Amino acid sequence: MTAEGAAGSEPAPVLRAVGLCKAFKDHQVLDGVDLAVAEGETLCILGPSGSGKSTLLRCINWLEVPDSGAVYVAGERIGVRPGAGGGPMSDSELARCRSRIGMVFQHFALWPHLTVIDNVMAAPLHVQRRPHAEVRAEAEALLAKVGLLDKKDAYPARLSGGQKQRVGIARALATKPRLLLFDEPTSALDPELVGEVLAVMRALAADGMTMVVVTHEMGFAREAADRVIFLDRGRIVETAAPDMFFTRPRTERARQFLLRFAGGPPVTERKAI
């Protein structure tokens, strides 16, 4: 968590996105999104289905190339070579940049032919070219952190959905990223498995990991986020601290969303119907 109102100049944000636009054919999915995330901040992105939340994450990680706009992580632009007239990054340059950005996917995206520990070790070994013994020791520590060290030699097919997602979190942490992205990490899980994943995410937030979380888990957003943004039709409609957003949303569109998905703001705050 970050402290607001700290004295002195503000440090540079870990993530800065400027004017992101993305369309698929005639459908404008992102429409000029500006975003900054501070060191240690947990930012939750809320919004209805189709509002552009997942596309925003994929543009931050350059899994989708924006039509326009720029993304900077730890001060370095992603996807475009530095200098005047710099062209697109090569695959190896992009892989190096992406190693600073861990991503946890909705449907796990584990390698089915690799064991749990080999999934966690893959990027540090093959992208960062780090020593095997060092990477293995760190992978075991990460699996212990997410409560799965005893599953290190298992294959993904032998795991529950919650266990797969916890492996996904350990894998995302293995490259020591400056930024961790979560794309609806609990939406593919049975309800009884959601809690184990959210517990790991809460612990990461408490430890000061910089996180951007697309989620429909309103309780998590209210308890763990430093800040909430509400995205609708590809635009940021509202930005607020969680207590403010969930009790006194400023926009009618956010109010409608909360009435549907989170029970709405307190009765005293609702407009008469």
Side-chain angles (χ1 to χ4, degrees), residues 101-124:
I101 310 169
M103 188 157 182
V104 180
F105 296 89
Q106 180 176 348
H107 294 289
F108 322 129
L110 300 179
W111 295 105
H113 63 289
L114 297 181
T115 64
V116 162
I117 196 163
D118 287 338
N119 264 281
V120 175
M121 293 171 63

Side-chain angles (χ1 to χ4, degrees), residues 33-35 43-49 51-53 56 213 215-216 218 227-241 245-246 249-261:
V33 173
D34 296 323
L35 186 65
L43 174 72
C44 282
I45 302 177
L46 308 180
S49 296
S51 60
K53 305 184 299 297
L56 175 56
V213 184
T215 185
H216 287 299
M218 300 299 157
R227 190 161 47 103
V228 170
I229 68 170
F230 179 67
L231 198 67
D232 188 42
R233 298 181 182 179
R235 296 182 178 182
I236 295 177
V237 175
E238 190 160 341
T239 303
F245 179 79
F246 284 102
R250 296 192 306 272
T251 63
E252 183 59 29
R253 187 65 189 92
R255 186 184 299 273
Q256 292 170 0
F257 174 83
L258 290 172
L259 285 170
R260 181 177 178 185
F261 290 102

Side-chain angles (χ1 to χ4, degrees), residues 118-183:
D118 287 338
N119 264 281
V120 175
M121 293 171 63
L125 285 178
H126 302 300
V127 177
Q128 295 179 325
R129 308 283 185 180
R130 292 168 52 204
H132 187 278
E134 174 186 298
V135 169
R136 185 176 179 88
E138 291 178 1
E140 289 181 347
L142 288 170
L143 288 172
K145 186 181 183 75
V146 300
L148 288 174
L149 183 58
D150 62 327
K151 300 290 186 181
K152 66 180 180 179
D153 295 320
Y155 286 88
R158 306 293 295 176
L159 304 179
S160 70
Q163 289 170 335
K164 290 177 185 177
Q165 197 58 291
R166 284 187 281 153
V167 174
I169 294 172
R171 181 185 59 180
L173 291 168
T175 59
K176 302 181 180 180
R178 293 290 304 277
L179 173 68
L180 200 54
L181 307 177
F182 291 84
D183 188 8

Side-chain angles (χ1 to χ4, degrees), residues 53-65:
K53 305 184 299 297
S54 293
T55 300
L56 175 56
L57 284 197
R58 291 177 66 83
C59 285
I60 289 170
N61 207 17
W62 224 252
L63 293 172
E64 293 284 356
V65 178

